[in-house]
Amino acid sequence: MSVFSPELTHREATVPLASFIKPFHAHYFSRTVGTPFRKRKYAFAGLPSLMPLVRAFLDTSAAERSTEYRFLFTLLGSELANNAIAHSLSSENGQTYSLTVDRGATGMTLTCQDQGSRLPLEPGPFTATDLNTLDPESGLGSGQGIGLGLVNALADRWGDNGNPKFRQVWFHLSYDLTHNPWTQIEGGQ
């Protein structure tokens, strides 16, 4: 006779994050300047615990740029990845989302494609009017549009394909951050 043991069903195994990286893609996560590329794409399992890998991928993709650019690109890209995990079927068992980095002459574009919305949504793109502002008094912490609000405020442009069955959300960040609102933020204010 076997006895059901709930503590055995809830055990977690700890595995190195590197075990999720295909060997021929290891240079995507090195956080160093590597082989020049025009386009780089990687599919991530929809697990929140893999966000350190996502940040390493984004930081490595922008490794040739300034520390400030790398930070901002990684921050905005992490928001898109978090949205794919939180709001799409990408976080269902065995599902993925992909991040594609396109490097151009004036900046980088990141596209996040997920497995479609968990909730029924009408086709159509997200717009800035759908988002909460970044004002803490206007519902910060409600989980509604804060991440995309950040992308809207700090990316040069952004958009999506309007298809809730496999949403692609993208942003473009120019290499020149001189006129970016990010540079207007003063430390400690």
Side-chain angles (χ1 to χ4, degrees), residues 13-35:
T14 302
V15 295
L17 286 176
S19 66
F20 289 92
I21 301 171
K22 298 170 185 126
F24 51 90
H25 286 132
H27 64 286
Y28 284 14
F29 303 90
S30 67
R31 295 186 188 259
T32 60
V33 176
T35 308

Side-chain angles (χ1 to χ4, degrees), residues 3-13:
V3 177
F4 176 72
S5 175
E7 54 276 348
L8 290 179
T9 62
H10 295 290
R11 286 194 178 173
E12 295 181 15

Side-chain angles (χ1 to χ4, degrees), residues 127-163:
T127 65
T129 58
D130 297 332
L131 308 175
N132 284 342
T133 66
L134 295 178
D135 179 7
E137 303 299 319
S138 69
L140 185 63
S142 68
Q144 300 287 327
I146 300 301
L148 283 180
L150 193 61
V151 172
N152 184 57
L154 298 175
D156 294 296
R157 56 190 179 278
W158 72 277
D160 74 288
N161 66 350
N163 187 341

Side-chain angles (χ1 to χ4, degrees), residues 60-127:
T60 302
S61 295
E64 293 179 341
R65 299 292 153 194
S66 69
T67 302
E68 190 170 43
Y69 186 90
R70 289 171 74 168
F71 180 84
L72 188 54
F73 186 78
T74 301
L75 173 70
L76 299 179
S78 296
E79 290 298 335
L80 296 189
N82 277 322
N83 282 350
I85 294 168
H87 304 294
S88 81
L89 295 172
S90 294
S91 62
E92 300 292 321
N93 191 26
Q95 296 296 319
T96 63
Y97 62 94
S98 65
L99 296 177
T100 304
V101 177
D102 286 297
R103 253 187 350 192
T106 61
M108 295 172 65
T109 301
L110 179 73
T111 303
C112 179
Q113 180 173 329
D114 63 37
Q115 300 296 323
S117 177
R118 283 192 198 138
L119 303 173
L121 294 174
E122 292 295 321
F126 295 129
T127 65

